Structure formats: structure tokens, C-alpha cells
Amino acid sequence: MAIKLPIYMDYHATTPVDPRVVEAMLPYFHEKFGNAASRNHSFGWTAEEAVENARAQIARLINATPKEIIFTSGATESNNLALKGAAEMYREKGNHIITQVIEHKAVLDTCKRLEKYGYEVTYLPVAKDGRIDLDDLRRAITPKTIIISIMYANNEIGVIQPIQEIGKLAKEKGVLFHTDGVQALGKIPVDVQRDNIDMISLTAHKLYGPKGCGALYVRRRNPRVQLSAQIDGGGHERGMRSGTLNVPGIVGFGKAAELCQNEMAEESIRLRGLRDRLKDGLFAKLDELYINGSMTHRLPHNINISFAFVEGESLLMGINDVAVSSGSACTSATLEPSYVLKALGVGEDLAHTSIRFGLGRFNTQEEVDYVTNRVVEVVQRLRELSPLYEMAKEGVDLSKMNWKATAEH
Amino acid sequence: MAYSDKVVDHYEHPRNVGSLPKDDPNVGTGLVGAPECGDVMRLQMKINPQTQVIEEAKFKTFGCGSAIASSSLATEWVKGKTVEEALAISNTDIVRELSLPPVKIHCSVLAEDAIKAAIEDWKKKKEADQPEATATASN
């Protein structure tokens, strides 16, 4: 079978919209275009019905009730609403928030802003495997702690946090538990009851739905979580998020959630097989590869590998018909290598050589084999070009070299 | 990020990749950068002690495409030049030739440093060989 190039293997960044989702959305652009808040005519009722249907589809995927789903523009907004909204609402109870260092910037930067407003934030470290230590968390909780925000699974290394244990602890201590569930939703079973989650940020475009449509699950019972709205207006979404609902987007989100619900079990087995095939293929032909993060507690479709002695951006340039991401500084705007890998204790030298592969619904075994061969070929070529690889092979201990003395900067 | 055609050409067909015997008294080796910074260049030149002409140049680079292209270009440019001419090569010449964007200027600086470091290494070897002849050349 001929392979269509370029190959997309960056499903943590975004996913294509599933054709079945597109089909479900289409009527809501022109034919059924009503405003879901129009209560006095059929256009509005049709839109409202579609939104409520989607709300139920999404709720079902996380074992929540439809009323607990608040639609937003995406997970960044959901994270902002959860943290700022709860911080403001529970200000009298306390001013302490606990999160961890490898959260997405939407959580970290929101926490930083809250610090400016007088909140105190504890950033828990992670171990080499990318997970927080529950004892660290337990020790960090004080009578002033109002929110624990720990992501379900990380976007770079795919490592899954001990969510059930965190939820249990938070409940015991009477602290709200928020989790950024973007990478986990639709990929592994998420259950807000089992996991004792009080708020979870969700987005459509990571599970084959459209961009610009997200949600925040806000628990209504045991406890009833209240949030201070961050966008004021018409009082939509139980007053927590005003603004006319993105009906086609929401319909797509609902359909995407339903598809995941039906297909996740099978799909995750297939993707794990492809991911392992990719990993094993690379390890069979290349030496000096290092996996970043736990292999045990990991999303089935993720692998993050450091290709020692080969700088990440140069590797991406060589496999330019394959779309993947690198933790190399050269690919970031800040010229800093990945803060996630740094937090794991991965040396900056290896962080520069890391590649994230994110597999997804539309990847095939032929594509995996093609990518494996391309990566092997380019890594071998670039290692021939790498003075570090040559020195390492000659037995030079690169960590003992006085690099600063040879460089002027 | 889009790369210029010249960067892509050097990346895909790097000139003068390899090593020269670093213990040869006529070979100067410049190793600059650091793995933690994501760039390490090693530039080697074989210099004729009589004519001061760079007869051979080889490089190996760990770094992004622009770093590879900058060092590949540097080997092309120094070959056949005298030591003095090679020392006159500036990073801005490399930036211009490869159309490097501002964020990649450090790659060209590193290539210039590598040229200078290799020549410095060669000069040191010569001094060690004939201490009386080059006593004043040291800085």
C-alpha cells in the first residue's frame, strides 16, 4: 500500500477531525444555526437540544451528569476558569494551591498570576519517571489549601499521574481536586466518581473533534463546587461562563466523545501495539536511545525518546516528511530545552535530542514502519556527523569535558 | 520555521565531513560549543607550515541544521585560504551567505569561533615545536 506523505505523528498537539464528527457538525452551520439561548422559537430549541445531547455524550465519557459540563473555548480557558474561579470563590477558606512542575503552561501561568494576587502556590517536583510523590503531596497540604491541580497525563511524555490516589487524598482533606484531562480524555478511561475529581478540563480537538471548543466538568454533588465566573455576560452555562455557545463545535465535541466511548478500548490496544512497534524498531537498530518518563504509567499512544548525540531540530529537518515534535531548545521560541524533561532530571544535553511521537486514530502500521526507517536512517547519518558520538565511541567521558573553556559563550 | 535553500543544501550534502589526525603537528583542531547548549562544532584544518595555506579542512557538528550548514560552509571557505585570510572570515559573512534568521546567528558565531580555535590550536603546536621561532607570536 502506498503511503501518503507527509505522515502526521503529533497527535498530542492536535488531531484531525474525524469525518463522522464533521458530518454530525455540518447541519449546525447553515440549516440548524440557531442560538441555543433563544428560548422562544424552534431554531433556538433545535440548537439547545443539540447542545444538551452533546453535554450528555461528554458527561457519559467521564461518568458525570450532563449538568456538570460547562462549555468553554478550550482547555486553556477551562484551566483558567477552574483555578481562578475556585481561588476567588474559596478565598475565605484559604489561599494555598498545590500543583506540580510539569503542568501545561495554561495551569502554570495561571498559578503564577494567582501568586501575584496574593495566593500561595506549591509546585511539587516529579521523580525521574515523571510522577509526583504522594507523600510530597500529603506534606504540602495545609489548612489553607483550597485546590490541588495535577494533570491526568502529560502532553510531552504521556506519563499518567496517580490520579485515583490524589483524588482520594484530596477528598480526605476536604480540598478541591482539579485535573487537566486533555491528553487522557478519550484515550484511557476517565471516571470522575472513581477518581474523586471535582473539576476536569477537557477539549475537543485532542480527541478528533474541532478546535475552539472545550469544557470544564464542575462537580455538583459531594461536594457542590462553586466557581466565580471569569467572563461576565448573559449568564450562560449556569452562570459560570457567559457567551453564546459554539453549537457546531459542541455538537462535534459530543460526537467525538461518543466515538471515543465506543472505540477507545479497541483503539488503545491498536495504538499501544503501533507505539511499541515503533519503539522496538528504533531500539533494534540504534544504540544510545533513552526513553523519557515511565513506560508503565504512560498513555498508550505516546513515546518520547532522546536520540543521544543528535540534536532534535536537525533530526526533525531530516525527517521532514514526518510531523513530530522535539524538546530541543532550537524548536522553541525561548531557546530553552523542554522544562518537562528538565524537571525529570534529564540532562540538557539529552533534552536537546528528544523527540515526541504521538500516534493516533489514523496512523497505520505501514506509516509506523516508514517512520522507523526514516528516523533510523537520519539518526545514523547525523551521528556520522556528530563529534559527540565519535568522542563517546572513543571512550571520552563527555560529562567530564570542560566545555566552557572551549566555547566563548 | 523555513530554512533557506543553502542551509538545506549544506544539511543534505554537508561538505568535508570527517576527521584529521589531531596529533599531526600541522593539524589544528577547534572544538567549540557545549552539549548542554545544543551545539558542538569540531573544525580541523591541515595547514602547510611553509605557505600558511589551509590545505585540508574537516568538520563534525552536533547541532541544528543551521549549525551544520555554518560549519560545513566554514570548511569550504577556509580551504585554500591562508591562515590570515581565514582569520578574517566573520560570522556576518556566514549569516549573509546562508540567510540565517536572527535566532540562528549564534550558529554563525560558533563557526567563526571554531575557525579561530582551530588556528589557535595549530599555532600552539607550532610554538611547542619551535619555541624560539614563534616566541613573539603568542598572545
Side-chain angles (χ1 to χ4, degrees):
Chain A
M1 194 184 90
I3 291 177
K4 194 169 160 281
L5 297 174
I7 293 169
Y8 189 75
M9 221 172 255
D10 199 17
Y11 279 81
H12 296 290
T14 193
T15 59
V17 181
D18 190 296
R20 294 168 290 180
V21 171
V22 175
E23 200 187 329
M25 290 170 71
L26 284 175
Y28 294 91
F29 286 100
H30 183 73
E31 188 190 331
K32 305 177 180 178
F33 62 90
N35 185 329
S38 298
R39 292 279 158 79
N40 42 10
H41 52 66
S42 65
F43 293 88
W45 302 331
T46 304
E48 191 189 8
E49 197 188 317
V51 166
E52 293 317 311
N53 181 45
R55 214 186 285 282
Q57 287 167 316
I58 296 159
R60 213 172 295 133
L61 184 58
I62 59 171
N63 193 19
T65 61
K67 281 184 177 166
E68 295 174 306
I69 303 295
I70 304 297
F71 286 113
T72 66
S73 63
T76 292
E77 188 192 332
S78 299
N79 285 331
N80 272 264
L81 174 58
L83 295 171
K84 291 175 182 165
E88 198 181 321
M89 183 58 79
Y90 296 94
R91 185 70 171 93
E92 279 178 19
K93 183 175 177 264
N95 69 339
H96 182 226
I97 296 164
I98 301 172
T99 184
Q100 50 108 11
V101 287
I102 64 168
E103 288 293 315
H104 191 272
K105 291 286 181 191
V107 166
L108 291 177
D109 287 359
T110 301
C111 285
K112 278 187 199 133
R113 182 170 306 268
L114 287 169
E115 282 182 284
K116 281 189 197 151
Y117 295 158
Y119 291 86
E120 279 175 30
V121 181
T122 301
Y123 300 89
L124 297 175
V126 291
K128 202 172 180 302
D129 67 357
R131 302 179 99 208
I132 63 159
D133 180 334
L134 289 165
D135 289 331
D136 284 351
L137 175 61
R138 197 185 311 270
R139 276 192 293 269
I141 298 171
T142 75
K144 291 271 175 202
T145 308
I146 48 175
I147 311 164
I148 295 170
S149 180
I150 306 285
M151 69 195 339
Y152 214 109
N154 182 268
N155 48 305
E156 286 189 32
I157 52 176
V159 168
I160 302 165
Q161 295 291 343
I163 293 297
Q164 281 181 53
E165 290 85 343
I166 298 168
K168 194 163 162 252
L169 183 58
K171 194 166 178 61
E172 244 171 65
K173 301 279 183 180
V175 178
L176 290 181
F177 176 33
H178 165 256
T179 183
D180 177 346
V182 162
Q183 296 292 341
L185 186 72
K187 314 297 163 67
I188 54 173
V190 171
D191 182 328
V192 295
Q193 303 307 339
R194 177 198 66 194
D195 300 343
N196 284 303
I197 293 168
D198 296 314
M199 295 183 276
I200 180 166
S201 300
L202 310 169
T203 195
H205 78 103
K206 309 277 194 194
L207 67 154
Y208 312 97
K211 293 166 186 63
C213 185
L216 179 67
Y217 156 80
V218 184
R219 180 177 284 279
R220 283 184 82 213
R221 289 188 57 201
N222 191 26
R224 180 184 181 85
V225 179
Q226 291 180 290
L227 295 180
S228 179
Q230 302 299 303
I231 295 178
D232 296 310
H236 309 74
E237 300 298 279
R238 292 167 50 213
M240 290 191 214
R241 204 279 191 178
S242 289
T244 296
L245 292 177
N246 168 7
V247 178
I250 289 168
V251 167
F253 191 178
K255 182 67 185 175
E258 183 190 274
L259 293 174
C260 285
Q261 175 113 40
N262 296 339
E263 298 170 9
M264 181 165 59
E266 210 173 308
E267 187 167 274
S268 67
I269 292 171
R270 190 184 77 90
L271 290 179
R272 185 186 301 273
L274 290 182
R275 189 270 311 271
D276 289 345
R277 186 181 176 90
L278 173 68
K279 170 174 71 76
D280 295 344
L282 293 171
F283 272 80
K285 289 183 188 146
L286 295 169
D287 62 346
E288 301 272 10
L289 302 189
Y290 301 92
I291 293 175
N292 297 310
S294 167
M295 254 340 265
T296 322
H297 305 283
R298 194 181 200 105
L299 294 172
H301 58 298
N302 169 284
I303 190 78
N304 186 310
I305 302 178
S306 284
F307 296 84
F309 317 119
V310 175
E311 198 277 327
E313 188 191 330
S314 67
L315 177 48
L316 293 189
M317 198 173 164
I319 51 168
N320 57 3
D321 49 6
V322 180
V324 292
S325 290
S326 171
S328 153
C330 290
T331 60
S332 77
T334 55
L335 286 180
E336 283 289 322
S338 155
Y339 68 93
V340 172
L341 297 184
K342 244 181 175 171
L344 260 57
V346 175
E348 289 201 16
D349 52 340
L350 277 177
H352 282 289
T353 70
S354 72
I355 300 286
R356 172 186 74 179
F357 300 90
L359 289 107
R361 186 172 289 168
F362 303 104
N363 286 132
T364 62
Q365 186 171 309
E366 289 76 19
E367 287 180 336
V368 165
D369 291 346
Y370 179 88
V371 171
T372 307
N373 291 334
R374 288 285 285 140
V375 171
V376 167
E377 178 190 304
V378 174
V379 167
Q380 282 171 343
R381 186 171 86 78
L382 290 174
R383 280 182 172 172
E384 283 303 306
L385 223 69
S386 170
L388 303 179
Y389 189 65
E390 183 188 302
M391 290 160 83
K393 288 285 133 185
E394 283 171 356
V396 177
D397 185 346
L398 295 171
S399 64
K400 298 228 165 66
M401 295 262 313
N402 186 9
W403 292 105
K404 294 299 163 200
T406 60
E408 289 187 4
H409 44 178
Chain B
M1 192 181 343
Y3 301 94
S4 71
D5 292 345
K6 281 184 180 162
V7 169
V8 172
D9 184 47
H10 277 281
Y11 171 82
E12 280 174 358
H13 312 284
R15 331 299 198 241
N16 309 307
V17 176
S19 320
L20 295 172
K22 61 178 186 293
D23 297 329
D24 183 330
N26 294 326
V27 169
T29 301
L31 182 67
V32 297
E36 293 76 23
C37 305
D39 290 302
V40 175
M41 286 182 191
R42 190 189 64 195
L43 189 61
Q44 295 184 298
M45 317 174 176
K46 185 169 182 154
I47 301 168
N48 184 320
Q50 270 79 49
T51 61
Q52 305 251 316
V53 167
I54 299 164
E55 293 177 336
E56 190 64 70
K58 295 276 187 201
F59 87 97
K60 280 199 177 188
T61 289
F62 162 80
C64 64
S66 303
I68 290 169
S70 295
S71 38
S72 169
L73 177 67
T75 59
E76 259 191 334
W77 276 358
V78 298
K79 258 187 167 179
K81 282 197 168 65
T82 64
V83 166
E84 204 170 318
E85 287 166 344
L87 285 172
I89 294 172
S90 144
N91 82 291
T92 52
D93 302 332
I94 296 170
V95 170
R96 210 172 304 124
E97 173 68 16
L98 295 176
S99 313
L100 296 181
V103 64
K104 295 296 184 188
I105 286 174
H106 72 277
C107 299
S108 69
V109 174
L110 212 54
E112 183 190 321
D113 289 351
I115 296 174
K116 297 204 155 73
I119 291 173
E120 190 61 29
D121 180 57
W122 173 76
K123 281 186 178 165
K124 272 196 194 130
K125 278 183 179 173
K126 271 209 329 179
E127 281 166 32
D129 262 10
Q130 321 153 281
E132 72 287 355
T134 52
T136 55
S138 157
N139 51 13

